[in-house]
Amino acid sequence: MRNLTEVSLKNKNLVWYFIVVIFFAGIFSYTKLGRMEDPSFTIRQMVVSVAWPGATASQMEEQVTDKIEKKLQDTPGLDYVKSFSRSGEAVIYVNLRDDIDNDKIRPTWLEVRNMVDDIKKDLPEGVYGPYYNDRFDDVYGSIYAITGDGYSYEEMREKAEKIRRILLTVDNVSKVELVGEQPEKIYIEASLDKLSELGISPQDIMQAVQTQQQMTPAGMIETQTDNVYLRLSGQFADVDMLKEMPINAGGKILRLADIAKVERRYVEPAEPKMFYNGKPAIGLAVSMEAGGNILTLGDNLQNTIEEVQKYIPTGLEINQVSNQPQVVKDSIDEFVGSLREAIIIVLAVSFLSLGLRTGMVVAGCIPLVILGVFVAMEALGIDLHKVSLGALIISLGLLVDDAIIAVEMMSVKLEEGLDRFSAACYAYKATAMPMLSGTLITCAGFIPVAFADGLASEFCSALFPVIAIALILSWIVSVMVAPLYGYKIIKVKVKKDEKGNVDPYQSKFYTFFRKILCYCLTHKKIILSSTVVIFAISIYCMKFISQEFFPPSQRPELVVELTLPEGSSIKATEEQAEKLAAILSEEQDVIDNFAYYTGQGSPRFVLTFDPVLPKDNYAQFVITAKDVEAREYLNQKLFKILNEDFPAVQSNIKFLQMGPPADYPVMIRVSGYDVDKVKNIADEVAMKMRQDSNIYNVNFDWQEKAKTLHLELDQDKLRAMGISSQMVAQTLYTELTGATAAQFYQGDRTIDIVMRLSDDDRDNLEKVRNLPIYLGQYGYVPLEQIAKISYRAEDGVIWRRDLKPTITVRGSIYQGTANDATEKIYNQLADLQKDLPFGYSIEPDGAMSDSQTAMEHLLKPIPVMVIAVITILMFQLRSVQLMIMTVLTAPLGLIGVSFGMLLFDKPIGFVAVLGILALFGMIIRNSIILIDQIKKHMLDGEKPWNAIIDSAVLRFRPIMLTAAAAILGMMPLVPSTLWGSMAIAISCGLVVATILTLLILPTMYAAWFKITPDSENKLKQK
């Protein structure tokens, strides 16, 4: 291979040209890079929903859910299917395996649609759907709330709809959805007494309304020149016209308003609602199109909203609930600040250790490499976010290594008296190939995350390309640009000892280091045995380090969930939510804003947040605190308030996650074939969890019974009267819930006209027995005359996973990590698991399950990493023994990792594991350089003993400097919630491993090859 340093020095102008090009291209690319808070990852989940009005949860499960789930088992790439069935509806979640390529996901969802459509004919009559949502992963990063004192929901909706249409024209906007809108209906409510007095049924009124309002074509006349359509009057222009509609009641013509109350109002029971700071609101959720720049979108939205606010009526307000562009800007600014700190630290290390001129050479390489990385990121479509910026900071401490090694060797040779050109070319000959091997091995340490499947690996996928590009560019710069800088800048004096011999290693420090190294070499058994013992202790100590998948986010949002008993009405849910909202309204000094949703959850405003589908007994608060400290204060206060003042409500307080989300810290899944058996096992699991003093708020995702009123119809009486069960059911539905008689058209709204009994006749359970059942010629009879009425309870909801009823036992923790708490409980359930019948299982869920899956994915590419490392070592060292010896130094880093994580009380999570794997590559890199230097000394004729000592002395400064740069460069990441554990793992591991590499590796080398002070050199060049 040609000496690239020589090529560079002989073509200075060309090299300077490319330096300038990369400089300006890097600045341009930086301005074009997309900005995100977190990297995107694909949620491989589709939602299939279906309705069957009147069916119980059990009937939905058996007749609908089971049939669809069986068919879905044929889905290619299926991971698992989970579902819930409740009265009249079912929702099925289709989850694909993590190894399914992104470009195959959309075709798979199309296949799911086709498969489910194929079995529609097998579903019971009266089933609506199935309906599909294959955009469940849409993120609505900007959410606005339209509020206004004195404005009705419909007035706010009209304004929100106009604003929605304006926002859809903004660049980079993909979708704008309305949240919390309340449909209107026209209710015709008649009292029982009035109907009985007149002798008419609700069906008579419905039929009269329908026949007058139904849209029916009256025909068309074709003339010689035109088509003339006939338009009939009679359709209702407003509610007053409906009130004046004539009704034939026993031969008398009465107005509808004389028989029933006719009123236009919002749907009852209410649809899911949204509130902002306690006020009713209509939400506008804005989603960005794929590939858009969220900061640009944020500016465009802000300008548009400011313009819209100039024209909205007085009293109407547009409030921002979620501002993802601002969060992204703050996050990037914070990381850029950390990157700036890391650059300053690395520069300080360079200047203090190498001197001003040599330090300037290294300092000049840093911006060139970083700007080159920006060019590559823009070309590869890698955005700026937590992971890519974190990778830049990690690589910053590594990318100066090659420059330091090359420049340091050049300085040494200048001190020995060589001219600038020869010194620079010698540095290439001596260090280029070992540096390249070390660089490739360091890159290989990130192979697992680059090629592993799964959400966690996809989340961190930018690590490998960013770090690999940075390190490879740093090697190119160190052999072509650094010598060019050094040729112009470095000026050193030739160092000689007292006898006049050239010796740059004559200081007291190097003399002291030689003594320590000689002691290690002469006491090999003690040193190596001690190292093995310390290593064993560190491995044992690993069991005391906390385990964590991903840490909670440092965003200020606090999510509070309120779940009432199964079967609770949305009205009861709204009352509890209003009670909590009143409490939060008194904490405005620590709250920026809060929004809450009754009957459903918030839209997905960040990718790591799972939206909750509509259910009447659920409310969700998204509280945006002023800062993280305020969030912690609210967390503690709300914990106390919810426990004391909301005893009938199942509450849950949680933070947003940085990685894949989980509903609760501790989640244990119980599955089996029989519902009652599964419930019994789940009770035992819950009992075990409640015995743990660190776990509180233990609950089930389902187990409660819902109240029902059971009517046992007398079929003999029904047949004698000429009516059927279906007719009775339709009558009751019309009287209690209300049946749609016709539709009223106004503007862009289609409003149902609903017939039902008055409030007094249908809202009291005691009056159910007196409900009139119309029998035609037999008149009315009370319901109790044809049915036995009794109170019963049934499963309000049934969750399943892979065709089996499944209950998830959940709990919160006072302290520690979710993984540790879940693992502790899961281990305590070992005896219970042994006694489970065939087909029943107890499995971890949530964070621990996700962590186990992610680690399984991460381990699969490790053999590729090992083969890559070994291959590179063999090319560089050309010796199996030296290769094995070098690989054996890698685990030494675990000594520092173990003690460092315990000392700083950091958990080992997914990101920390990535750091440990990368640490192995960094350690091997240093080992290669040292072993290669020993080979060079021996080839130059030195005795093996002296070659080992001189090589360690010669490589001491570059190894220590590169380690110091890497370690100190990590310091800005230590406070980071996401990167803190990795920074501690790498830093502490490198501190110990670097010292051991300089002392233990020479000792291991001497022991392996049985080298003594008298050993002869067998590698001497002939």
Side-chain angles (χ1 to χ4, degrees):
M1 184 175 181
R2 292 190 64 183
N3 189 317
L4 296 181
T5 299
E6 182 180 350
V7 173
S8 173
L9 294 177
K10 289 181 177 179
N11 297 274
K12 297 186 184 70
N13 289 334
L14 184 61
V15 175
W16 281 114
Y17 166 76
F18 280 110
I19 290 173
V20 173
V21 168
I22 292 174
F23 181 82
F24 286 104
I27 294 174
F28 177 78
S29 296
Y30 178 77
T31 62
K32 294 295 182 180
L33 288 175
R35 266 72 168 172
M36 302 173 66
E37 180 189 11
D38 296 311
S40 61
F41 55 87
T42 306
I43 298 177
R44 294 168 168 80
Q45 188 177 71
M46 180 180 182
V47 179
V48 181
S49 56
V50 63
W52 188 18
T56 66
S58 296
Q59 289 171 331
M60 285 297 303
E61 180 206 11
E62 295 166 357
Q63 295 297 320
V64 180
T65 307
D66 187 69
K67 293 177 181 178
I68 296 176
E69 284 187 351
K70 285 178 181 177
K71 187 65 176 179
L72 289 174
Q73 295 299 311
D74 299 333
T75 304
L78 181 69
D79 185 10
Y80 65 92
V81 173
K82 72 173 184 178
S83 66
F84 68 81
S85 305
R86 57 165 46 106
S87 178
E89 67 169 328
V91 175
I92 300 138
Y93 298 87
V94 186
N95 297 270
L96 301 182
R97 294 196 313 268
D98 292 332
D99 59 353
I100 300 300
D101 293 336
N102 290 348
D103 58 357
K104 295 182 180 178
I105 292 176
R106 294 298 170 195
T108 302
W109 296 152
L110 180 60
E111 193 161 347
V112 167
R113 290 171 179 265
N114 293 335
M115 286 193 298
V116 177
D117 287 343
D118 287 344
I119 64 163
K120 272 187 178 181
K121 62 183 184 301
D122 299 326
L123 299 179
E125 186 179 350
V127 168
Y128 295 93
Y131 308 104
Y132 308 96
N133 181 2
D134 55 6
R135 299 285 179 177
F136 194 59
D137 56 349
D138 283 345
V139 176
Y140 299 90
S142 296
I143 300 177
Y144 300 90
I146 312 296
T147 60
D149 293 333
Y151 286 84
S152 67
Y153 269 112
E154 179 58 21
E155 289 171 330
M156 289 191 293
R157 185 206 68 82
E158 288 178 356
K159 300 301 181 185
E161 177 59 29
K162 291 179 180 179
I163 297 172
R164 187 186 80 86
R165 298 184 184 191
I166 294 172
L167 293 179
L168 282 171
T169 65
V170 175
D171 289 342
N172 292 330
V173 169
S174 172
K175 289 183 183 179
V176 183
E177 300 287 348
L178 296 185
V179 181
E181 57 180 326
Q182 297 298 301
E184 288 184 296
K185 289 190 177 183
I186 298 174
Y187 288 102
I188 303 172
E189 296 177 334
S191 69
L192 282 175
D193 295 338
K194 195 72 173 178
L195 293 177
S196 300
E197 176 187 340
L198 296 174
I200 60 175
S201 69
Q203 284 76 13
D204 294 333
I205 298 176
M206 288 178 61
Q207 186 175 4
V209 172
Q210 185 178 22
T211 53
Q212 181 165 339
Q213 182 66 4
Q214 188 171 11
M215 183 71 70
T216 305
M220 179 195 75
I221 300 174
E222 183 179 4
T223 68
Q224 292 293 329
T225 58
D226 299 296
N227 291 332
V228 180
Y229 291 92
L230 276 65
R231 306 299 186 197
L232 303 183
S233 65
Q235 287 194 332
F236 308 125
D238 52 35
V239 176
D240 289 336
M241 190 173 177
L242 175 62
K243 290 180 180 179
E244 294 300 316
M245 189 188 79
I247 299 290
N248 188 336
K252 298 180 180 179
I253 303 299
L254 300 174
R255 301 299 176 187
L256 180 59
D258 297 331
I259 301 173
K261 181 173 73 172
V262 181
E263 188 176 18
R264 176 176 172 175
R265 60 179 185 267
Y266 299 112
V267 64
E268 298 172 355
E271 292 289 304
K273 293 182 179 180
M274 177 185 180
F275 297 82
Y276 177 80
N277 285 347
K279 299 178 182 178
I282 297 295
L284 283 163
V286 183
S287 174
M288 183 178 73
E289 64 182 13
N293 187 315
I294 195 165
L295 296 187
T296 303
L297 174 64
D299 293 338
N300 294 340
L301 288 175
Q302 183 177 354
N303 295 335
T304 304
I305 293 298
E306 287 176 356
E307 191 66 25
V308 167
Q309 286 178 327
K310 297 177 183 178
Y311 301 100
I312 61 175
T314 304
L316 203 66
E317 297 179 351
I318 304 176
N319 309 278
Q320 185 135 27
V321 180
S322 174
N323 190 353
Q324 187 71 359
Q326 185 61 44
V327 171
V328 170
K329 184 178 182 301
D330 293 342
S331 176
I332 290 177
D333 288 346
E334 179 183 348
F335 267 88
V336 169
S338 298
L339 182 61
R340 191 182 306 115
E341 292 174 12
I343 291 173
I344 293 171
I345 290 172
V346 172
L347 289 177
V349 171
S350 302
F351 285 122
L352 292 175
S353 58
L354 298 172
L356 179 61
R357 288 183 173 274
T358 308
M360 287 175 62
V361 173
V362 175
C365 296
I366 293 174
L368 187 61
V369 174
I370 291 177
L371 290 171
V373 172
F374 288 151
V375 173
M377 288 174 63
E378 206 269 333
L380 295 174
I382 300 173
D383 297 326
L384 283 179
H385 45 63
K386 283 178 181 175
V387 174
S388 60
L389 283 168
L392 270 175
I393 297 173
I394 292 169
S395 59
L396 184 64
L398 303 174
L399 62 85
V400 297
D401 290 3
D402 291 342
I404 288 175
I405 291 170
V407 172
E408 197 273 343
M409 178 59 75
M410 183 177 175
S411 299
V412 168
K413 289 305 170 182
L414 287 172
E415 290 172 355
E416 291 180 356
L418 292 182
D419 62 85
R420 295 175 183 278
F421 186 86
S422 300
C425 292
Y426 179 86
Y428 180 87
K429 293 176 185 176
T431 63
M433 289 303 102
M435 286 193 311
L436 179 59
S437 298
T439 295
L440 294 177
I441 285 174
T442 303
C443 296
F446 291 93
I447 282 177
V449 71
F451 297 100
D453 299 315
L455 292 181
S457 297
E458 190 176 350
F459 183 84
C460 299
S461 60
L463 276 175
F464 178 77
V466 172
I467 292 177
I469 291 166
L471 295 184
I472 292 171
L473 282 177
S474 74
W475 181 83
I476 296 172
V477 169
S478 69
V479 298
M480 298 193 73
V481 178
L484 186 61
Y485 291 165
Y487 189 87
K488 295 287 187 182
I489 298 174
I490 296 177
K491 292 181 181 180
V492 298
K493 294 181 180 179
V494 178
K495 292 187 178 181
K496 299 181 180 181
D497 59 17
E498 297 174 353
K499 298 180 180 180
N501 297 321
V502 177
D503 184 7
Y505 303 104
Q506 54 188 329
S507 65
K508 292 181 179 180
F509 178 82
Y510 282 113
T511 303
F512 177 70
F513 177 68
R514 285 176 185 271
K515 290 180 180 179
I516 295 177
L517 185 56
C518 288
Y519 177 85
C520 293
L521 293 174
T522 53
H523 298 82
K524 293 186 280 289
K525 290 184 179 179
I526 296 174
I527 297 300
L528 295 178
S529 299
S530 300
T531 303
V532 172
V533 171
I534 295 172
F535 178 74
I537 293 172
S538 69
I539 296 299
Y540 175 77
C541 290
M542 283 282 189
K543 64 186 293 186
F544 301 107
I545 302 175
S546 298
Q547 306 292 314
E548 184 177 56
F549 186 32
F550 276 92
S553 170
Q554 288 301 292
R555 287 179 57 136
E557 287 92 348
L558 189 70
V559 179
V560 180
E561 297 177 309
L562 304 179
T563 305
L564 276 65
E566 192 64 43
S568 297
S569 66
I570 195 170
K571 186 184 297 184
T573 303
E574 193 171 328
E575 288 176 359
Q576 295 295 326
E578 287 176 357
K579 183 178 174 183
L580 181 57
I583 296 171
L584 291 174
S585 297
E586 299 173 359
E587 299 290 343
Q588 293 302 315
D589 54 330
V590 293
I591 294 178
D592 186 36
N593 69 74
F594 70 90
Y596 69 93
Y597 308 80
T598 57
Q600 68 176 12
S602 165
R604 189 193 297 272
F605 59 92
V606 63
L607 193 57
T608 56
F609 175 84
D610 271 345
V612 177
L613 296 178
K615 52 181 179 178
D616 288 348
N617 64 329
Y618 179 83
Q620 184 183 78
F621 285 72
V622 180
I623 306 165
T624 305
K626 292 190 178 297
D627 49 42
V628 176
E629 290 73 20
R631 185 190 73 173
E632 294 298 330
Y633 163 78
L634 287 169
N635 181 36
Q636 298 297 325
K637 182 164 186 175
L638 289 175
F639 171 74
K640 182 179 180 181
I641 289 173
L642 291 170
N643 284 336
E644 294 177 357
D645 300 341
F646 294 80
V649 177
Q650 175 63 50
S651 60
N652 181 32
I653 304 175
K654 58 185 182 181
F655 302 146
L656 298 178
Q657 297 295 308
M658 284 196 174
D663 292 334
Y664 283 79
V666 181
M667 300 176 69
I668 302 292
R669 191 173 62 241
V670 181
S671 297
Y673 296 106
D674 181 72
V675 171
D676 292 332
K677 182 65 176 177
V678 170
K679 288 182 178 180
N680 292 335
I681 298 171
D683 285 334
E684 295 185 58
V685 173
M687 186 183 304
K688 186 67 71 174
M689 288 174 60
R690 292 188 179 102
Q691 293 172 358
D692 191 316
S693 59
N694 189 42
I695 299 179
Y696 67 96
N697 194 22
V698 177
N699 62 89
F700 308 94
D701 61 345
W702 70 281
Q703 205 186 42
E704 296 174 335
K705 297 283 188 178
K707 301 172 186 174
T708 61
L709 206 59
H710 185 72
L711 308 180
E712 187 176 343
L713 298 175
D714 189 328
Q715 298 296 333
D716 293 335
K717 286 185 179 180
L718 294 181
R719 291 189 183 91
M721 297 174 181
I723 60 174
S724 65
S725 299
Q726 182 186 23
M727 295 172 63
V728 174
Q730 289 175 342
T731 299
L732 291 174
Y733 183 84
T734 301
E735 293 176 345
L736 296 174
T737 301
T740 300
Q743 290 180 323
F744 176 72
Y745 312 111
Q746 184 180 52
D748 63 342
R749 306 289 281 172
T750 302
I751 302 170
D752 289 341
I753 302 174
V754 177
M755 177 69 206
R756 66 183 183 184
L757 295 179
S758 61
D759 290 348
D760 293 339
D761 292 323
R762 61 185 171 79
D763 287 352
N764 191 330
L765 289 176
E766 294 299 324
K767 292 186 177 182
V768 171
R769 64 183 67 253
N770 297 321
L771 287 175
I773 305 299
Y774 188 66
L775 305 178
Q777 61 178 333
Y778 297 101
Y780 286 101
V781 296
L783 178 62
E784 63 179 350
Q785 289 190 12
I786 59 172
K788 292 181 180 179
I789 303 173
S790 60
Y791 293 98
R792 293 188 183 181
E794 63 184 32
D795 286 317
V797 61
I798 300 173
W799 278 91
R800 289 161 49 114
R801 183 184 174 103
D802 286 337
L803 306 178
K804 295 180 182 179
T806 301
I807 295 178
T808 303
V809 190
R810 312 173 296 186
S812 302
I813 56 177
Y814 290 109
Q815 59 186 3
T817 65
N819 280 30
D820 286 345
T822 307
E823 184 176 13
K824 179 182 177 183
I825 289 298
Y826 186 66
N827 292 338
Q828 292 176 1
L829 297 171
D831 292 338
L832 179 59
Q833 294 181 64
K834 292 178 182 176
D835 298 331
L836 290 178
F838 176 76
Y840 291 78
S841 63
I842 298 176
E843 300 291 342
D845 203 353
M848 184 175 174
S849 175
D850 292 338
S851 180
Q852 289 176 343
T853 302
M855 292 309 299
E856 289 173 3
H857 289 313
L858 189 63
L859 292 175
K860 288 179 181 177
I862 284 184
V864 178
M865 181 192 80
V866 172
I867 292 172
V869 169
I870 291 174
T871 303
I872 296 169
L873 286 173
M874 287 302 298
F875 271 105
Q876 178 61 40
L877 301 175
R878 308 299 173 97
S879 167
V880 173
Q881 294 184 75
L882 293 179
M883 179 271 294
I884 294 173
M885 188 187 310
T886 305
V887 171
L888 288 177
T889 61
L892 295 180
L894 292 177
I895 298 174
V897 172
S898 180
F899 295 136
M901 301 299 268
L902 288 172
L903 178 64
F904 290 97
D905 193 25
K906 291 285 187 179
I908 288 184
F910 183 81
V911 176
V913 172
L914 297 181
I916 293 171
L917 292 174
L919 174 65
F920 293 161
M922 299 175 196
I923 296 169
I924 292 174
R925 172 190 179 129
N926 286 337
S927 300
I928 288 176
I929 294 172
L930 182 55
I931 289 179
D932 185 79
Q933 193 64 48
I934 294 173
K935 284 179 62 179
K936 282 185 172 64
H937 278 279
M938 292 176 67
L939 288 171
D940 289 340
E942 279 195 53
K943 296 180 65 174
W945 184 269
N946 294 335
I948 293 173
I949 296 174
D950 290 343
S951 297
V953 170
L954 179 64
R955 302 318 305 160
F956 179 87
R957 187 166 74 160
I959 287 177
M960 289 300 293
L961 289 181
T962 55
I967 293 165
L968 295 176
M970 293 285 177
M971 291 303 102
L973 288 178
V974 171
S976 169
T977 306
L978 179 63
W979 299 106
S981 294
M982 173 187 270
I984 291 295
I986 292 178
S987 299
C988 294
L990 266 183
V991 166
V992 175
T994 302
I995 296 172
L996 294 179
T997 298
L998 289 167
L999 296 175
I1000 303 304
L1001 180 58
T1003 306
M1004 190 187 304
Y1005 191 99
W1008 190 292
F1009 293 104
K1010 300 178 182 179
I1011 294 174
T1012 65
D1014 301 325
S1015 298
E1016 293 296 326
N1017 188 346
K1018 298 180 181 180
L1019 292 178
K1020 183 177 179 181
Q1021 289 181 338
K1022 296 180 181 179

